[in-house]
């Protein structure tokens, strides 16, 4: 045994993924990329080679053979984005794979555990199914801007016989609208609001489910419910108040089930004219903004099971006019990701009960009802809101036209639980009406169901300051609440759009929280789909306004918002090392920069038509007697030109990494010219920037727009601008995070800490002191003594100001990436302690493994414990008043072969370390 063990390497591959996903079904990438994480409990462990096997079944793979691909031993340290290079992958094939690696001593690991993926329907003619649904209806255009007429959700069913036991049964399904799918009375998956949101005229996603275990011998029944969803339902900011039927007018289903028998024969069940439909189902209303109405009195018992008589049901309508592009869903689906119970119930008015979940969530309530609390034919209503009025009643004015109301029309008195199917709400409080008079419900009656795209949590943070910890938690909740297929701006009012500027500033923070690789890969395609023919990115993606007649020129090309189409793909590349994404996106990004340049030949971006939001919701928007009235907003041409310069610089870097030398040189030179023009037009010789605002200095410094000699002067002006505001923030969405980062970079970390920890209005802590459980849209969403801000735009769950979490991770915890070695191949660890916080610990689980940091400050003694994943290295910045007093694991750093002193100056030791665990102590 000991002899055998000596031949096994010190690292092993774990956590195998295909295209960022664990065991995905039905992918449509014909050369998928494979990745794994390396595990070792020893230092300086590296991969020197890998060997991948891919087989058509597990039996072959378990024999250590790969009939689809046997890579052989490949000499490389790369463990991410390994491109499949085996036999051609055809539709519906299952691929089972595993990997082993060699360490620095050329010893192989054991084989990893088996993983798998399957291919979807890759060609148009693979789809034998037809689009089916209700009888076709046409909506006159004027009705699309009037209140929407809700139609019940139809029930569709198909009965078929299957005599044998199936080897495998796979269903491929999508809809125009939304669907829930059942087989023999059971939900086939826990996916919610499928097929999710895209610009449906460009792409419709389909989902793949393994339903082998749901099949029975004899009669089987497929059941489906269709709803409006994003395709037909109310959508958008609501200007005019009602906009719906953007993408289409009729709900449709497309379904194909492939049943493989043990003798190799295939039985296909497809959506076709044999299906039956009941157009008047029990779900009478289902809309994301309106809510859902469920009429128990119209329930059809066992409609989705065998033995049901559907002779009175109609035949479905076949819709042969649909030619939408169908693609596989390649990111995590929307699911119920958490359930929470209320912490309090009150009765502000007789029979009106308000439950407080204690947390602002996106989702709905599951309600348990029985004869003890409601009558047999009661109508129970649940209204949702983020806040309460002073009298304890539900505050709903900031929902605008979103009714956010779920209704249950009961029949009978048996105990049952009810929850919606095709809606979601943003709320902390839910008002329940319709219970028996004199009855006070208990807390167990309600369960809050949190829904979100189910990306894996990959980050954590904790510190000695409980309010900072609360802020971190609020940021995480805000992200979770606004990850409903796309990154939405808010979750409660009639808006919930993928606003690009908001995502631009929050992108890195979101990645520190969750594994956003697949989610953003999908959304970046949404961004390209929405791009205008001449190159402008839209202000929000997806964007139904692109196809909506009078609104085609609305929400298009706004500075910073459109620039998200450059910045966000670049951030994804830096964090995940995804070079293919840059290759796919480059032409789109180039088209955008070329358009902006064509309209601004003098290199100063002045927006003459369309929206220009500037540093959105900056200090000028704050309504308070205790705050300066003017002077907070950076001039828009300053901000626009800054983004023009920086986006052009990013484009040049994209060109460089994909080997386009000529384009790199062209756009690198153009970016330099824009920076020079920025300085010439907006910057005085004393470093003062036009507008003299916190935001202007922050963005110019953050984008490195200024000549070296002017930068220290600009920093002084930024500090003066903060002092003019009594040490308070005047920045908006775009410039708050840059100001925090630049204060730290230029040696004013204490000022950044003061802004973070301030309880003066406006501040992050002020929100928390008012009871916030998520981030507010406005600094002054609610002010004690004044009340609520503008009801038409005042969300209490909006992640933009949560971008400060990036500063928390990079500065307090100290984890950062190295742009020159993307995907955390090389890691920066640089905590910058401040006496106000005496310890912090946390982690980031990167694409290459988990990075742990745990530091504490005891007087002048600084303790730093870190763990760096195998196959990576790190640079550690260690505050130290004396180099000789630095120890690691009670030994001098000079005694370790895994630590290299790169530099020591200004009481800072810069160390290069190999992977593994380290425990440093220094004196500050």
């Amino acid at each position: 045994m000991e002899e055998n063990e000596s031949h096994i390497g010190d690292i092993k591959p774990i956590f195998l993924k295909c295209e960022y996903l664990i065991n995905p079904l039905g992918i449509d990438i014909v050369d998928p990329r494979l990745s794994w994480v390396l595990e070792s409990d020893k230092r300086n462990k590296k991969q020197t080679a890998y060997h991948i096997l891919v087989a058509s079944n597990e039996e072959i793979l378990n024999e250590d053979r790969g009939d689809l691909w046997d890579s052989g031993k490949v000499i490389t340290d790369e463990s991410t984005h390994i491109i499949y290079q085996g036999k051609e992958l055809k539709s519906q094939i299952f691929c089972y794979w595993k990997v082993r690696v060699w360490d620095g001593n050329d010893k192989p690991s054991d084989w990893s555990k088996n993983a798998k993926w399957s291919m979807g329907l890759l060609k148009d003619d693979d789809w034998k199914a037809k689009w089916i649904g209700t009888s076709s209806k046409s909506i006159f255009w004027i009705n699309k801007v009037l209140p929407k007429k809700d139609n019940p959700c139809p029930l569709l069913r198909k009965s078929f016989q299957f005599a044998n036991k199936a080897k495998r049964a796979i269903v491929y399904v999508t809809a125009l609208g939304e669907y829930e799918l059942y087989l023999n009375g059971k939900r086939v998956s826990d996916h919610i609001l499928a097929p999710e949101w895209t610009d449906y005229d460009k792409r419709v996603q389909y989902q793949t489910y393994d339903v082998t275990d749901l099949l029975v011998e004899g009669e089987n029944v497929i059941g489906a419910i269709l709803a409006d969803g994003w395709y037909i339902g109310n959508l958008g900011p609501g200007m005019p108040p009602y906009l719906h039927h953007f993408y289409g007018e009729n709900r449709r289903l497309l379904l194909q089930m492939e049943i493989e028998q043990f003798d190799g024969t295939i039985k296909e069940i497809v959506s076709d004219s044999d299906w039956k439909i009941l157009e008047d189902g029990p779900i009478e209303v289902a809309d994301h903004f309106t809510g859902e109405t469920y009429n128990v009195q119209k329930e059809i018992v066992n409609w989705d099971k065998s033995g049901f008589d559907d002779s009175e049901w109609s035949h479905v309508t076949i819709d042969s006019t649909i030619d939408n592009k169908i693609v596989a869903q390649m990111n995590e689906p929307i699911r119920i990701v958490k359930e929470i119970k209320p912490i309090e119930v009150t009765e502000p008015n007789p029979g009106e009960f308000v439950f407080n979940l204690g947390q602002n969530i996106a989702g709905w309530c599951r309600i348990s009802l029985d004869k003890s609390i409601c009558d047999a034919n009661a109508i129970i209503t649940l209204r949702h809101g983020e806040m309460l009025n002073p009298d304890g009643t539900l505050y709903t004015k900031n929902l605008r036209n979103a009714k956010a109301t779920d209704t249950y029309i009961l029949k009978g008195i048996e105990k049952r639980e009810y929850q919606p199917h095709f809606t979601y709400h943003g709320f902390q409080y839910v008002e329940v009406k319709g219970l028996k008079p004199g009855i006070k419900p208990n807390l167990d009656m309600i369960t809050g169901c949190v829904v979100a795209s189910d990306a894996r949590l990959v980050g954590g943070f904790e510190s000695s300051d409980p309010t900072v910890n609360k802020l971190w938690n609020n940021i995480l909740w805000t992200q979770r609440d606004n990850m409903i297929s796309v990154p939405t701006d808010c979750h409660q009012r009639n808006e919930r759009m993928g606003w690009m500027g908001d995502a631009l500033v929050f992108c890195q923070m979101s990645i520190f929280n969750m594994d956003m690789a697949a989610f953003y890969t999908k959304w970046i395609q949404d961004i390209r789909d929405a791009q205008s023919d001449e190159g402008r990115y839209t202000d929000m993606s997806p964007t139904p306004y692109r196809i909506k007649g009078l609104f085609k020129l609305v929400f298009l090309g706004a500075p910073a918002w459109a620039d998200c189409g450059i910045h966000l793909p670049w951030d994804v590349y830096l964090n995940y090392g995804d070079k293919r994404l840059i290759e796919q996106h480059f032409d789109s990004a180039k088209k955008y920069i070329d358009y902006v340049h064509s309209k601004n030949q003098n290199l100063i971006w002045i927006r003459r038509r369309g929206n220009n939001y500037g540093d959105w919701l900056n200090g000028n928007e704050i309504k308070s007697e205790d705050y300066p009235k003017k002077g907070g907003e950076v001039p828009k041409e300053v901000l626009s030109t800054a983004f023009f310069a920086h986006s052009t610089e990013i484009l040049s870097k994209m060109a460089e990494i994909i080997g386009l030398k000529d384009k790199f040189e062209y756009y690198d030179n153009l970016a330099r010219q824009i920076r020079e023009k920025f300085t010439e037009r907006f910057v005085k010789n004393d470093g003062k920037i036009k507008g003299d605002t916190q935001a202007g200095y922050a963005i110019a410094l953050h984008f490195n727009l200024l000549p070296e000699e002017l930068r220290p002067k600009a920093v002084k002006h930024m500090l003066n601008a903060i002092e003019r505001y009594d040490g308070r923030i005047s920045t908006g969405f775009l410039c708050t995070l840059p100001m925090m980062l630049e204060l730290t970079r230029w040696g004013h970390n204490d000022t950044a800490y003061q802004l973070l920890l301030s309880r003066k209005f406006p501040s992050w802590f002020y929100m928390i002191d008012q009871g916030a459980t998520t981030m507010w849209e406005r600094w002054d969403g609610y002010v004690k003594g004044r009340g609520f801000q503008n009801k038409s735009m005042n969300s209490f769950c909006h992640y933009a100001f949560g971008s400060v979490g990036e500063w928390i991770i990079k500065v307090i915890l100290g984890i950062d990436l190295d742009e020159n070695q993307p995907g955390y191949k090389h890691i920066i660890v640089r905590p910058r302690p401040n006496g106000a916080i005496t310890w912090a610990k946390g982690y980031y689980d990167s694409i290459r493994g988990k990075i742990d940091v745990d530091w504490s400050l005891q007087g002048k003694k600084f303790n730093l414990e870190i763990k760096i994943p195998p196959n990576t290295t790190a640079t550690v910045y260690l505050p130290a008043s004396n180099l000789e007093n630095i120890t690691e694991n009670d030994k001098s750093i000079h005694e370790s072969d895994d630590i290299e002193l790169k530099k020591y100056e200004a009481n800072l030791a810069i160390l290069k370390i190999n992977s593994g665990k380290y425990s440093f102590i220094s004196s500050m």
Side-chain angles (χ1 to χ4, degrees):
M1 183 68 176
E2 292 179 358
E3 183 178 351
N4 289 336
E5 287 181 349
S6 66
H7 295 290
I8 301 300
D10 290 324
I11 53 176
K12 64 178 181 179
I14 60 171
F15 203 55
L16 278 60
K17 291 192 286 186
C18 173
E19 290 296 331
Y20 297 121
L21 301 173
I22 299 172
N23 298 329
L25 296 180
I27 73 172
D28 59 2
I29 297 174
V30 296
D31 54 348
R33 297 165 301 170
L34 309 177
S35 302
W36 55 88
V37 170
L38 295 166
E39 183 179 69
S40 178
D41 59 0
K42 298 180 180 180
R43 285 185 181 178
N44 193 21
K45 294 304 168 185
K46 301 176 181 178
Q47 172 190 302
T48 58
Y50 68 74
H51 183 189
I52 295 173
L53 295 176
V54 183
S56 57
N57 62 61
E58 281 200 285
E59 290 76 16
I60 294 175
L61 190 65
N62 290 336
E63 295 172 358
D64 295 341
R65 294 189 295 120
D67 61 326
L68 295 178
W69 185 35
D70 184 337
S71 73
K73 184 178 180 180
V74 179
I75 307 300
T76 178
D77 67 349
E78 192 52 74
S79 60
T80 64
H81 306 304
I82 306 301
I83 299 174
Y84 171 85
Q85 299 179 57
K87 294 180 181 178
E88 180 184 358
L89 298 178
K90 298 182 179 180
S91 293
Q92 303 182 55
I93 189 172
F94 269 69
C95 304
Y96 300 87
W97 71 288
K98 61 183 178 181
V99 62
R100 61 175 174 166
V101 300
W102 280 259
D103 66 11
N105 296 316
D106 201 31
K107 291 183 178 181
S109 69
D110 287 327
W111 287 103
S112 69
K113 293 181 179 179
N114 294 353
K116 69 180 179 182
W117 79 86
S118 76
M119 304 304 294
L121 301 179
L122 303 179
K123 300 177 181 178
D124 290 345
D125 58 11
D126 289 331
W127 285 95
K128 306 299 190 299
K130 305 294 184 182
W131 287 100
I132 62 173
T134 59
S135 55
S136 298
K137 299 175 183 177
S138 181
I139 308 296
F140 188 55
W141 75 267
I142 192 64
N143 292 324
K144 298 180 181 182
V145 296
L146 297 174
K148 181 166 74 79
K149 181 181 183 298
D150 292 294
N151 295 305
C153 295
L155 308 180
L156 295 82
R157 74 186 308 271
K158 165 71 174 180
S159 173
F160 65 95
Q161 296 289 327
F162 188 71
N164 304 311
K165 187 174 182 181
K167 179 181 178 181
R168 180 184 293 138
I170 304 296
V171 63
Y172 308 92
V173 59
T174 187
L176 298 179
E178 289 169 350
Y179 71 86
E180 280 187 358
L181 190 64
Y182 298 81
L183 182 55
N184 297 321
K186 297 179 180 179
R187 282 282 303 273
V188 303
S189 79
D190 57 0
H191 295 198
I192 294 166
L193 307 182
E196 303 194 16
W197 190 10
T198 54
D199 275 327
Y200 300 102
D201 62 315
K202 295 293 185 74
R203 287 182 306 133
V204 180
Q205 296 185 136
Y206 70 88
Q207 290 72 40
T208 303
Y209 308 115
D210 188 331
V211 295
T212 308
D213 294 340
L214 298 180
L215 277 179
V216 298
E217 294 185 24
E219 184 185 9
N220 289 263
V221 176
I222 306 173
I225 310 173
L226 296 181
D228 290 350
W230 290 278
Y231 182 74
I232 292 175
N234 285 300
L235 188 60
M239 295 173 282
Y242 304 98
L243 288 173
H244 44 83
H245 288 85
F246 273 102
Y247 297 103
E249 299 170 344
N250 298 289
R251 308 155 177 160
R252 295 290 182 254
L253 176 75
L254 185 73
L255 180 145
Q256 186 159 318
M257 182 187 293
E258 303 279 345
I259 305 173
E260 181 183 356
Q261 302 181 75
F262 282 94
D263 63 2
T265 59
I266 302 294
K267 181 180 179 68
E268 284 186 340
I269 308 297
V270 301
S271 51
D272 58 18
S273 58
D274 289 339
W275 285 56
K276 292 293 195 70
I277 187 169
L278 179 70
E279 297 198 14
D280 189 18
I283 303 176
E284 296 183 330
V285 176
D287 183 272
H288 292 180
F289 294 169
T290 304
E292 188 163 308
T293 297
Y294 188 86
N295 190 341
V296 183
Q297 299 172 15
K298 291 169 60 177
E299 278 187 331
I300 310 296
V301 178
N302 295 328
W303 69 274
D304 52 358
K305 296 180 180 179
S306 62
F308 179 79
D309 180 7
D310 62 9
S311 59
E312 295 187 5
W313 287 32
S314 304
H315 282 280
V316 295
T317 295
I318 299 290
D319 193 335
S320 58
T321 66
I322 300 170
D323 61 354
N324 300 58
K325 182 179 180 180
I326 304 170
V327 301
Q329 179 171 353
M330 294 294 297
N331 68 295
E332 300 86 353
I334 304 169
R335 292 188 173 102
I336 296 176
V337 296
K338 279 182 175 292
E339 294 187 358
I340 59 177
K341 300 299 290 186
I343 60 173
E344 181 186 29
V345 59
T346 59
E347 189 178 10
N349 292 309
E352 178 183 303
F353 300 98
V354 176
F355 290 80
N356 178 5
L357 293 180
Q359 176 61 55
N360 195 337
I361 71 169
W364 57 68
C365 285
R366 183 185 303 125
I367 185 168
S368 178
L369 299 172
D370 61 36
K371 63 182 180 181
S372 68
I373 56 176
C374 58
D375 295 325
N377 296 312
I379 298 177
I380 308 297
T381 61
L382 288 75
R383 288 199 310 145
H384 305 78
E386 295 184 284
M387 302 287 275
L388 298 180
N389 292 306
D391 62 0
T393 58
L394 198 68
Y395 177 75
T396 60
K397 291 180 179 179
N398 69 328
L399 303 186
R400 295 198 302 227
N401 293 314
K403 295 180 180 178
T405 301
D406 296 332
T407 302
Y408 300 99
I409 302 169
L410 304 186
K411 175 185 178 183
I413 55 176
E414 73 278 9
K415 185 174 183 179
R416 275 185 63 176
E417 288 186 336
Y418 299 92
Q419 63 181 345
H421 302 252
F422 300 109
T423 190
Y424 76 94
H425 314 292
F427 67 103
Q428 179 174 333
Y429 302 92
V430 56
E431 171 202 277
V432 179
K433 288 184 177 180
L435 303 181
K436 284 183 177 180
I439 295 293
K440 183 173 182 179
N442 58 40
L443 296 178
D444 289 337
M445 189 179 83
I446 291 289
T447 300
C449 299
V450 182
V451 303
S453 293
D454 195 14
R456 184 173 62 97
L457 186 67
V458 295
F461 174 83
E462 189 178 358
S463 76
S464 60
D465 191 308
T467 314
V468 174
N469 300 341
K470 176 61 175 172
L471 173 60
W472 172 267
N473 192 57
N474 286 6
I475 293 169
L476 176 60
W477 268 105
T478 309
Q479 178 177 343
R480 181 183 289 125
D481 290 348
N482 284 286
M483 281 179 57
I484 312 291
S485 189
V486 305
T488 59
D489 60 321
C490 60
H491 67 335
Q492 87 297 348
R493 65 177 177 245
N494 60 324
E495 189 159 351
R496 312 183 199 181
M497 304 294 285
W499 283 98
M500 301 265 279
D502 311 37
L504 179 148
V505 298
F506 192 70
C507 177
Q508 182 59 58
M509 180 63 251
S510 70
I511 291 171
F512 280 145
N513 273 336
M514 297 180 185
D515 183 353
M516 300 293 288
F519 182 90
Y520 278 144
T521 299
K522 178 265 183 188
W523 194 54
I524 290 167
Q525 182 62 59
D526 290 335
I527 291 172
R528 288 198 294 271
D529 285 348
Q531 187 175 21
S532 68
D533 292 340
E534 72 272 22
R536 284 182 289 178
Y537 289 122
T538 50
D539 304 355
M540 57 183 83
S541 298
T543 183
Y545 294 94
R546 182 178 46 78
I547 55 175
K548 189 68 176 181
L550 296 173
F551 301 96
K552 287 184 72 171
L553 297 179
V554 176
F555 306 122
L556 187 63
W561 271 251
D563 288 274
C564 178
I566 304 287
H567 288 236
L568 189 134
W570 182 245
D571 283 344
V572 172
Y573 165 73
L574 292 179
N575 282 273
Y576 302 108
D578 194 338
K579 187 176 177 180
R580 178 184 283 183
L581 184 146
I582 299 301
E583 292 170 340
Q584 293 171 339
H585 192 70
F586 180 80
D587 288 344
S588 169
K590 174 182 176 297
K591 191 176 182 181
Y592 169 69
I593 292 298
D594 289 348
Y595 173 81
V596 176
H597 187 199
S598 71
K599 298 299 182 182
N600 301 277
Q601 291 289 319
N602 67 350
L603 307 185
I604 298 298
W605 189 1
I606 297 177
R607 177 81 161 167
R608 294 178 176 86
R609 293 180 60 194
N611 295 323
N612 190 353
Y613 310 105
D615 189 24
W616 188 246
L617 296 183
N618 59 77
N620 280 14
E621 298 294 321
I622 292 174
K623 297 180 180 179
S624 173
E625 296 298 324
D626 183 35
Y627 192 76
K629 298 296 183 185
K630 295 294 180 182
E633 181 174 15
V634 56
K636 290 178 178 176
E637 65 271 23
V638 173
L639 189 66
S640 301
T641 305
F643 271 92
F644 182 22
H646 192 54
S647 294
T648 304
E649 180 186 8
I650 291 174
L651 181 64
S652 74
K653 293 178 180 180
M654 289 181 175
E656 184 176 30
I657 66 167
I658 60 176
L660 302 177
K661 182 180 179 182
D662 291 347
K663 290 183 172 59
F664 159 68
E665 292 175 349
Y666 173 80
Y667 289 106
D668 183 59
N669 183 57
L670 178 59
R672 177 186 55 77
Q673 293 176 30
I674 301 170
R675 290 193 295 269
E676 290 173 352
K677 184 62 69 172
F678 179 93
T679 301
E680 175 188 317
R681 178 70 69 89
F682 301 128
V683 187
K684 296 181 179 179
N685 292 335
D686 63 355
K688 185 170 288 188
I689 297 174
K690 182 178 180 179
D692 194 23
T693 62
Q694 297 175 17
Y697 298 113
I699 206 71
L701 291 165
H702 194 56
F703 289 168
N704 294 314
L705 303 180
L706 306 177
E708 291 285 350
E709 66 275 12
L710 291 183
R711 295 180 187 183
K713 297 178 181 179
V715 172
K716 290 182 179 179
H717 291 305
M718 182 169 65
L719 291 168
N720 290 337
I722 294 171
E723 186 177 348
R724 284 200 304 273
Y725 273 76
D726 188 29
R728 294 184 284 182
I729 289 172
S730 69
T731 48
F733 281 13
L734 299 175
C735 298
T736 297
L737 173 63
M739 184 168 71
M740 295 290 287
L741 292 170
E742 293 309 307
L743 286 169
T744 296
R745 179 161 75 126
W746 288 94
H748 300 281
N749 204 36
D750 286 347
T751 302
Y753 267 94
Q754 289 166 12
L755 291 174
L756 178 76
L757 303 176
S758 173
R759 291 194 129 85
K760 292 190 294 186
F761 166 81
S763 68
W764 293 281
F765 279 21
Y766 183 86
M767 298 180 194
I768 292 171
D769 289 343
Q770 311 314 306
T773 64
T774 46
M775 304 304 302
W776 292 358
E777 181 175 19
R778 294 175 176 270
W779 288 117
D780 64 333
Y782 178 85
V783 176
K784 189 180 297 184
R786 186 211 67 191
F788 296 109
Q789 239 275 17
N790 186 341
K791 66 182 181 182
S792 68
M793 195 182 71
N794 193 26
S795 169
F796 293 92
C797 186
H798 198 295
Y799 53 64
F801 286 127
S803 62
V804 71
E806 179 182 336
W807 182 89
I808 291 173
I809 289 293
K810 290 181 175 180
V811 175
I812 298 181
L813 187 60
I815 296 175
D816 202 355
L817 55 78
D818 180 351
E819 184 172 314
N820 295 316
Q821 298 189 60
Y824 296 89
K825 183 67 175 172
H826 182 74
I827 299 154
I828 307 298
V829 179
R830 189 178 184 180
R832 292 174 173 90
N834 174 279
I837 293 179
T838 57
W839 62 264
K841 61 182 178 180
Y843 69 92
Y844 172 59
D845 199 352
S846 76
I847 193 171
R848 284 188 166 85
K850 191 176 181 183
I851 306 161
D852 286 290
V853 175
D854 185 344
W855 65 260
S856 62
L857 188 60
Q858 300 169 330
K860 295 293 183 179
K861 182 181 177 182
F862 183 66
N863 299 273
L864 175 63
E865 295 186 3
I866 58 178
K867 183 179 180 182
I868 304 301
N871 215 35
T872 68
T873 58
T875 297
V876 179
Y877 293 77
L878 195 64
S881 60
N882 187 319
L883 182 61
E884 299 307 316
N885 289 339
I886 301 176
T887 62
E888 194 284 310
N889 202 20
D890 297 327
K891 296 180 181 180
S892 168
I893 58 173
H894 303 294
E895 298 180 32
S896 174
D897 294 335
D898 296 312
I899 303 172
E900 178 187 357
L901 176 64
K902 303 295 290 185
K903 192 175 185 180
Y904 178 74
E905 66 179 13
N907 294 328
L908 188 68
I910 304 176
L911 311 173
K912 175 78 174 295
I913 66 171
N914 296 314
S915 64
K917 293 182 180 180
Y918 296 83
S919 181
F920 293 101
I921 297 177
S922 66
S923 297
M924 294 182 63

